[in-house]
Amino acid sequence: MRPLFRFNGGIHPPQHKSESAGQGIVPGPLPKRLVLPLHQHIGAPAKAIVKPGDRVLKGQMIGQPQGPISAAVHAPTSGTIHAVGLHALPHPSGLQDLCIELWPDQEDRWIDRQPIEYREKDPTRVLDHLRSAGVVGLGGAVFPSAVKLNPGPPGRVPTLIINGAECEPWITCDDALMRERSGEIVEGILIMRHLLDAQEILIGIEDNKPEAAAAMRRAAAASPFPMEVVVVPTVYPTGGAKQLTQILTGKEAPSSGRSSDIGVACFNVATAYTVHRAVNHGEPVLSRVVTVTGNVRQARNFDALIGTLLPDLVALAQPKDDTDGFIMGGPLMGHRLPALDVPVVKAMNCLIATSPALFKPAPRPMPCIRCGRCAAACPVKLQPQDLHWFAKASNFGKAQEYALFDCIECGCCSYVCPSHIPLVQYFRHAKGEIWAREREKKAADTARERHTFREDRLEREKKERAERLAQKAAAATAQAAGDGAAAQSKEDALRAAIERAKAKKAEIVPRNTENLPPSTLSEIEKIEARRAQLREAAATKSLDQKED
Amino acid sequence: MSSPYITQPTSVNALMLRVLGALVPAIGAYVYFFGPAILVSLLLASVTALLCEAAMLKVRHYAADAFLVDGSAIVTAWLLALSMPPLAPWWLVVVGTAFAIVVAKHLYGGLGSNLFNPAMVGYAVMIVSFPVPMTHWAAPETLAAAHLSFAQDLRYMFAGVLPDHLKLDAVTMATPLDTLRTQLKLSHTLSEIRRLPIFGTLGGIGSQTVALMYLLGGLYLLFQRVITWHIPVAMAGALALVAGTLHGIDADHYASPGFELFTGGAMIGAFFIATDPVTAPTTPKGKLWFGAGIGVLTYCIRTFGGYPDGVAFGVLLMNMTVPLLDAYTQPRVFGHAEKETTRGKPQ
Amino acid sequence: MLAALWVMAGLAVVLGAVLGFAAVRFHVEDNPLVEKIDAILPQTQCGQCGFPGCRPYAEAIASGAADINQCPPGGEPGIRKLAELLGKEFKPLNAEHGAPKPKSVALIDEQVCIGCTLCAQACPVDAIVGAAKQMHTVIVSECTGCELCVAPCPVDCIHMVPIGEEIGTWKWDPPDYSYGPTA
Ligand code: SF4
Ligand code: SF4
Ligand code: SF4
Ligand code: SF4
């Protein structure tokens, strides 16, 4: 038996897994409309490479990754691009972002799929392949996997951890995937192991999923490379990457670094599955398993196309009449959706229909009585009671000093607080404020710098002008000494006039017009490009408006 | 509202109720040994506390439906009443409780904000202002020269009148701690003193049983996770350690650790008063220092000071150090090196 | 009694030592005052405070020539920070200098712009680029929203556009509840 470690605190909320577990993965709908956000991952948004009217095939890239940290977006089925424009995203703000709207032709015709033989290829080719297949972490972080799988110096990451903990209540999508597709997950793990050159593979699964663990054990036994399925105790938030790493290895990922610093890489089981599909079958990420549960008659795991609008998906689960909203994700870290008319995205693992009976309204908050339960429950060993004071008083510097940014927003503290203080919301607010202030400060610093620079330039130009004037005047006096007095006064007047005109001209010589440095030229170019985009967006307007 | 959307079914109210429940065995023992008058004190303190609380909530525009029933005022009232002499006159209880609630609790910001333990502030103010009635302790029933009926108790508490044939001395006597001190001053040795009828095997007759019941209630609170072990263990440990050391050096003049633990307010202090979350540190290390500090101060004030017991002043003195203790005993955050001053940067 | 006094005195000494230690240990080197004030000012460089830019205003505050409530872009939070830095009372923004507005950036209507360069000359942070007689453009990321370019434009083609909320910069509101009676 492998010795297991434990993290501080944690909680044991009611599981609610049985509602949706063990029912098998059901295919999602093939709706009339798909809305594909260009920014479903961490990093730079993808760039649309299709125009309205274009016909696309299933698996065709429609959004190209931009910059080193980005991921591609693909057409989940064949059809016609209807629009490129703004649409609401599944985000707590309910705000819109750039999306591609695809109208499926219901034929579901594949593009020519190109699997690659990963063992024979240069690793960078495989990584490029994953990047253009849009593979991102499906555990919730949606970080581009190609970046994380970049091995760096050999032997840097000896341990590969596969996260099948799935610790949040209600969610069973990874459970379903492990039960049904364990072989394919193992295939994906082998690819990741190959890329990282890892020596040890640990698959962590909570002990409330014995079927999944058994399935994974069977698949692992058939694997050419040894991998160990480790059943870990059910404690929330075991599924946090850093927490699972600690449980399995006893190592703490440094706060300021990444887990590769301690020789560990951690991936979700669903990510492993998509790596396998991308490499061995040439299929990009077109769908994901989404648990639809809660106040519904048929809680199920659906294999839903990315971009499926939630009303289409939810209808299959038959929400009950007293449903008053939906949570995307779990009840501890998820978000209530302001509106249901948003698409399935790669980060969406679960949708919970809520009713007043299932999710009681939050009890009224009382003042903190400093009972310390929050600190005892915090897996990061923070002092939420102190942090909340600092956040409430807008004393953000102090909050940062007390390691606010190490908070993983797991919600354990709010869950146990006898005063029902919305602690996590304070922390989210404080983090947002600090980021905003950081941005503001950066902008102010740039402005200060540019302003000082401009002042200096104006000063310099003024001085230069004055010098030129003085020189000319001196020359004029010298010349004038030899001429007649009458001629002199006449010429003087003339010269002075010319001088004045020149000075005036110098004064209005526009800056920024001649000798533009290449940096400015490229800036102008960029702006032109942006303007083109803006015009495009303005032309397409909001997708919804066009719809009406 | 942001997640989480589920919470544990617990509340301030539930915690306070458990504290009150844990006090019940001790109150039972109290009634058994010292008579039912304490129940009157408890009732009086409770009513006063609720009235003052309601008035202050009104003044401060706090919702009475949430705050009046949170139980915190009653806990303060009970702790104060249990710290006072069993036959304390009614006005002593009322003034003490009112001071605790109005000044020590609400003028310092109310639930969760007060720096000092309200019950102990009430106690300290009363003992400084009215030292005489605060030191008239009813004798345990088995030792008293005369017995008062419940009606006579009430008459004494509310009118200060004793039955004609009785003097005050007949129904009250010095507390075990006081007796110990006076007798030591008369240069009796400890073994002689401990043979006096007022002492039992652990502490004073009667009061030792009450102390045992506090211990029992405290264990219940520990088991229910209303409190953590740190403060009681540190306080009792420090008290026993200092007492044990001095007792070891000079057994004739310094009482044994067991005696120190089971007399006076040591047990109720360790499990119920020092553990008041609002006025104690929140970090485990801070709690240990806090408890140990109270233990040492209690011993010093008892042994070298002029007051009948040291728990109240020990607690109040240590209350002042709580912000510092909290600031200097922050646990190491996950993923941070042991000694680090500037932590997390925005990512 | 005496012993109790000693205990308290001892405690006071220890506490004092700890505080003193903390003061020495966490002492930070001081910036000159003007720098500190300038660091608080928003650097919009709009001149609404009555000075030709943020730094001159900072100098005026430092020398006592100007009050702390004259900068509309900094708004109340800015005044609070200044008050705290200088140990002064907070006072509301002086309305003579204008009112705070939502943050905006200038947008030049390219169809109308005649390329006169007047706006570029007015911009305090060189956020406008473009050659003479050509269309001019605002570098949005550099624009401070000072509005100084709006008035000089002979064809009125510069407009201030408020920066809307975006998912990337959206932030959670703080929890909103009170301990007061429920209405
Ligand atoms: S759990 Fe709640 S009441 Fe207790 S210390 Fe934490 S924030 Fe305060
Ligand atoms: S939400 Fe943050 S502070 Fe609260 S328990 Fe989780 S990590 Fe700790
Ligand atoms: S009013 Fe304008 S120029 Fe003056 S300090 Fe504020 S931002 Fe700077
Ligand atoms: S572009 Fe206009 S509004 Fe923006 S900084 Fe320059 S002058 Fe001010």
Side-chain angles (χ1 to χ4, degrees):
Chain A
M1 251 327 252
R2 161 172 292 274
L4 292 182
F5 301 82
R6 55 181 313 260
F7 55 84
N8 185 61
I11 54 173
H12 299 272
Q15 297 278 320
H16 290 295
K17 301 261 193 194
S18 57
E19 284 86 339
S20 56
Q23 312 262 18
I25 299 174
V26 185
L30 179 56
K32 293 211 171 61
R33 245 177 109 203
L34 292 171
V35 174
L36 297 137
L38 285 163
H39 197 188
Q40 302 184 37
H41 48 267
I42 297 213
K47 187 181 150 208
I49 50 171
V50 286
K51 319 182 288 302
D54 286 2
R55 294 196 51 84
V56 292
L57 292 172
K58 178 173 185 165
Q60 181 177 336
M61 190 192 285
I62 54 176
Q64 196 174 35
Q66 300 279 298
I69 301 181
S70 187
V73 179
H74 301 80
T77 181
S78 56
T80 316
I81 301 298
H82 178 66
V84 180
L86 296 172
H87 193 281
L89 255 46
H91 186 265
S93 68
L95 288 171
Q96 300 188 321
D97 202 9
L98 212 57
C99 299
I100 298 175
E101 183 172 345
L102 170 68
W103 285 11
D105 55 15
Q106 308 294 329
E107 289 169 17
D108 214 24
R109 257 180 305 127
W110 269 101
I111 196 170
D112 181 23
R113 276 164 279 181
Q114 305 209 312
I116 56 172
E117 185 38 72
Y118 66 91
R119 288 182 206 85
E120 283 159 22
K121 284 261 162 45
D122 177 16
T124 46
R125 292 274 316 272
V126 183
L127 292 174
D128 274 348
H129 183 82
L130 288 174
R131 177 177 145 95
S132 48
V135 177
V136 295
L138 295 184
V142 280
F143 189 80
S145 301
V147 181
K148 237 165 105 184
L149 283 168
N150 200 345
R156 203 162 113 82
V157 180
T159 308
L160 172 60
I161 290 180
I162 300 300
N163 190 343
E166 196 165 54
C167 57
E168 245 190 296
W170 294 101
I171 311 176
T172 59
C173 58
D174 290 350
D175 184 13
L177 199 73
M178 288 188 285
R179 290 192 201 198
E180 280 190 26
R181 304 182 188 168
S182 53
E184 297 175 276
I185 294 173
V186 165
E187 289 292 326
I189 296 174
L190 288 174
I191 300 169
M192 298 201 272
R193 192 217 69 82
H194 176 79
L195 289 172
L196 293 168
D197 194 22
Q199 301 310 311
E200 182 187 32
I201 303 172
L202 303 172
I203 304 169
I205 302 173
E206 276 191 348
D207 59 12
N208 59 359
K209 290 180 270 299
E211 297 87 352
M216 288 303 292
R217 278 224 171 87
R218 276 195 301 277
S223 145
F225 194 93
M227 39 183 93
E228 187 182 343
V229 175
V230 189
V231 172
V232 297
T234 301
V235 187
Y236 177 84
T238 294
K242 289 185 171 184
Q243 279 64 42
L244 187 63
T245 304
Q246 190 182 23
I247 292 176
L248 295 178
T249 67
K251 292 184 195 158
E252 290 183 16
S255 148
S256 47
R258 332 166 158 216
S259 42
S260 60
D261 295 349
I262 52 166
V264 172
C266 184
F267 290 91
N268 184 266
V269 284
T271 315
Y273 172 76
T274 52
V275 166
H276 157 73
R277 297 304 304 183
V279 172
N280 294 337
H281 296 273
E283 292 175 8
V285 183
L286 306 183
S287 68
R288 70 153 298 149
V289 182
V290 184
T291 308
V292 184
T293 182
N295 197 41
V296 295
R297 290 194 190 84
Q298 300 229 19
R300 290 287 183 280
N301 279 296
F302 294 101
D303 197 348
L305 295 182
I306 306 293
T308 308
L309 290 168
L310 296 189
D312 294 332
L313 179 63
V314 160
L316 297 186
Q318 305 170 19
K320 295 183 191 158
D321 296 339
D322 58 341
T323 299
D324 64 352
F326 287 87
I327 297 171
M328 161 182 160
L332 286 155
M333 292 184 75
H335 295 299
R336 256 182 203 288
L337 293 173
L340 197 58
D341 188 35
V342 292
V344 169
V345 291
K346 291 177 186 173
M348 189 181 288
N349 50 4
C350 183
L351 260 182
I352 307 174
T354 63
S355 69
L358 269 183
F359 290 87
K360 305 217 163 46
R364 153 182 215 138
M366 301 275 286
C368 168
I369 56 165
R370 295 168 46 82
C371 66
R373 293 173 163 233
C374 49
C378 177
V380 190
K381 282 207 254 171
L382 297 176
Q383 301 287 310
Q385 78 281 10
D386 292 339
L387 284 174
H388 126 266
W389 264 117
F390 299 141
K392 199 170 178 177
S394 296
N395 191 349
F396 299 125
K398 203 80 182 148
Q400 241 171 300
E401 202 181 298
Y402 275 64
L404 171 68
F405 280 93
D406 284 285
C407 168
I408 56 170
E409 301 179 17
C410 64
C412 291
C413 50
S414 299
Y415 180 77
V416 298
C417 176
S419 289
H420 310 299
I421 303 171
L423 295 162
V424 181
Q425 191 172 349
Y426 275 114
F427 304 155
R428 290 187 170 131
H429 161 69
K431 286 180 181 177
E433 273 304 317
I434 293 171
W435 279 320
R437 285 181 190 196
E438 202 81 0
R439 277 195 301 270
E440 253 167 47
K441 193 172 163 295
K442 251 196 215 130
D445 286 346
T446 323
R448 185 184 294 114
E449 215 172 86
R450 291 182 71 100
H451 182 63
T452 322
F453 179 78
R454 178 176 185 268
E455 300 272 281
D456 288 352
R457 196 195 66 216
L458 292 181
E459 188 62 28
R460 203 179 56 235
E461 282 171 2
K462 208 162 119 197
K463 221 160 87 205
E464 279 169 10
R465 224 165 29 236
E467 263 164 27
R468 266 205 310 276
L469 270 177
Q471 266 173 16
K472 291 254 168 80
T477 341
Q479 207 184 20
D483 293 349
Q488 190 195 353
S489 72
K490 215 175 177 184
E491 240 177 69
D492 248 3
L494 198 70
R495 203 168 273 129
I498 293 170
E499 221 50 75
R500 265 200 308 278
K502 266 189 187 161
K504 203 162 182 186
K505 198 174 168 208
E507 249 169 65
I508 58 160
V509 158
R511 275 153 282 273
N512 303 328
T513 54
E514 287 137 34
N515 306 329
L516 287 175
S519 64
T520 317
L521 280 174
S522 75
E523 241 157 30
I524 298 179
E525 244 167 57
K526 265 192 234 148
I527 288 157
E528 287 294 346
R530 209 169 35 233
R531 193 180 282 135
Q533 247 185 14
L534 269 177
R535 263 200 294 270
E536 228 172 80
T540 46
K541 283 271 169 50
S542 162
L543 291 179
D544 289 328
Q545 285 167 15
K546 201 149 190 180
E547 197 48 18
D548 297 336
Chain B
M1 276 289 264
S2 126
S3 55
Y5 300 112
I6 50 175
T7 54
Q8 214 170 32
T10 176
S11 63
V12 176
N13 193 304
L15 293 184
M16 296 293 173
L17 269 180
R18 273 181 231 161
V19 174
L20 294 179
L23 284 170
V24 167
I27 295 173
Y30 212 125
V31 171
Y32 179 81
F33 285 103
F34 299 94
I38 185 67
L39 297 177
V40 180
S41 286
L42 286 170
L43 187 69
L44 210 53
S46 304
V47 172
T48 313
L50 285 180
L51 287 176
C52 292
E53 181 88 5
M56 289 312 285
L57 290 175
K58 179 124 191 127
V59 172
R60 299 180 60 215
H61 299 292
Y62 271 43
D65 54 350
F67 285 85
L68 200 53
V69 296
D70 67 13
S72 60
I74 309 272
V75 168
T76 299
W78 283 24
L79 291 178
L80 181 57
L82 289 170
S83 308
M84 286 192 168
L87 280 182
W90 69 272
W91 54 268
L92 202 63
V93 177
V94 168
V95 174
T97 313
F99 194 88
I101 297 291
V102 174
V103 179
K105 183 176 181 185
H106 280 284
L107 293 190
Y108 275 89
L111 179 70
S113 300
N114 46 301
L115 181 60
F116 294 101
N117 186 310
M120 289 305 101
V121 172
Y123 176 88
V125 168
M126 289 298 105
I127 202 158
V128 170
S129 320
F130 309 102
V132 180
M134 282 294 283
T135 43
H136 278 161
W137 280 72
E141 303 255 301
T142 47
L143 299 178
H147 286 285
L148 293 182
S149 69
F150 185 51
Q152 286 166 332
D153 277 347
L154 289 184
R155 232 173 122 216
Y156 176 68
M157 289 171 76
F158 285 95
V161 186
L162 281 171
D164 292 341
H165 58 283
L166 282 182
K167 289 226 177 62
L168 193 56
D169 291 355
V171 284
T172 66
M173 62 197 293
T175 63
L177 276 172
D178 264 337
T179 318
L180 182 75
R181 194 179 357 230
T182 14
Q183 294 292 326
L184 281 172
K185 283 220 185 85
L186 299 173
S187 39
H188 293 183
T189 69
L190 203 69
S191 39
E192 290 165 6
I193 301 171
R194 285 297 299 268
R195 280 197 288 275
L196 292 172
I198 184 175
F199 295 107
T201 33
L202 285 170
I205 289 277
S207 59
Q208 61 184 4
T209 314
V210 176
L212 271 174
M213 290 300 143
Y214 284 134
L215 175 61
L216 194 72
L219 293 178
Y220 165 76
L221 290 184
L222 263 180
F223 183 71
Q224 290 279 309
R225 308 209 179 183
V226 175
I227 58 173
T228 63
W229 59 270
H230 305 82
I231 293 176
V233 167
M235 176 176 161
L239 183 60
L241 194 73
V242 184
T245 312
L246 290 176
H247 183 70
I249 295 170
D250 184 353
D252 269 347
H253 288 94
Y254 297 102
S256 69
F259 178 83
E260 293 290 349
L261 286 177
F262 286 93
T263 45
M267 275 301 150
I268 187 177
F271 284 100
F272 291 90
I273 296 170
T275 53
D276 164 33
V278 175
T279 55
T282 51
T283 64
K285 264 193 224 158
K287 285 178 181 171
L288 288 177
W289 282 109
F290 179 76
I294 297 176
V296 172
L297 285 173
T298 300
Y299 187 85
C300 292
I301 298 171
R302 273 181 181 180
T303 316
F304 312 112
Y307 285 106
D309 199 351
V311 175
F313 291 100
V315 168
L316 292 176
L317 281 173
M318 288 311 288
N319 281 163
M320 291 194 290
T321 68
V322 165
L324 265 184
L325 282 178
D326 268 344
Y328 279 87
T329 57
Q330 292 287 314
R332 184 185 66 84
V333 174
F334 181 97
H336 283 264
E338 193 58 62
K339 294 258 181 287
E340 226 173 331
T341 42
T342 20
R343 296 146 151 190
K345 304 240 148 49
Q347 286 141 5
Chain C
M1 196 64 215
L2 204 62
L5 275 180
W6 277 116
V7 169
M8 289 210 212
L11 201 73
V13 170
V14 171
L15 290 186
V18 169
L19 285 177
F21 167 74
V24 174
R25 166 116 187 252
F26 301 119
H27 179 77
V28 276
E29 267 314 312
D30 278 355
N31 263 345
L33 188 58
V34 176
E35 299 289 333
K36 282 193 188 165
I37 299 174
D38 194 40
I40 292 174
L41 297 177
Q43 306 301 325
T44 308
Q45 316 290 4
C46 60
Q48 291 181 81
C49 49
F51 294 87
C54 300
R55 190 162 177 105
Y57 179 44
E59 281 159 7
I61 295 179
S63 68
D67 213 336
I68 58 171
N69 61 347
Q70 303 183 358
C71 169
E76 274 206 10
I79 301 172
R80 271 187 212 289
K81 278 195 214 152
L82 287 174
E84 196 182 315
L85 173 69
L86 303 168
K88 288 190 178 170
E89 277 291 307
F90 167 81
K91 43 177 95 171
L93 186 69
N94 185 343
E96 275 172 33
H97 294 273
K101 288 182 198 163
K103 182 147 170 41
S104 312
V105 288
L107 193 73
I108 298 182
D109 186 340
E110 302 130 13
Q111 315 301 327
V112 186
C113 174
I114 53 170
C116 70
T117 77
L118 288 174
C119 56
Q121 294 175 57
C123 178
V125 292
D126 287 346
I128 302 182
V129 288
K133 302 209 182 108
Q134 280 179 14
M135 190 175 69
H136 280 52
T137 307
V138 176
I139 311 174
V140 174
S141 62
E142 312 286 7
C143 172
T144 65
C146 71
E147 302 189 4
L148 293 181
C149 53
V150 176
C153 179
V155 290
D156 280 342
C157 73
I158 306 183
H159 304 281
M160 301 306 295
V161 199
I163 303 175
E165 271 199 319
E166 282 173 38
I167 285 196
T169 55
W170 178 84
K171 42 187 201 219
W172 279 98
D173 284 333
D176 175 27
Y177 58 86
S178 81
Y179 300 134
T182 33

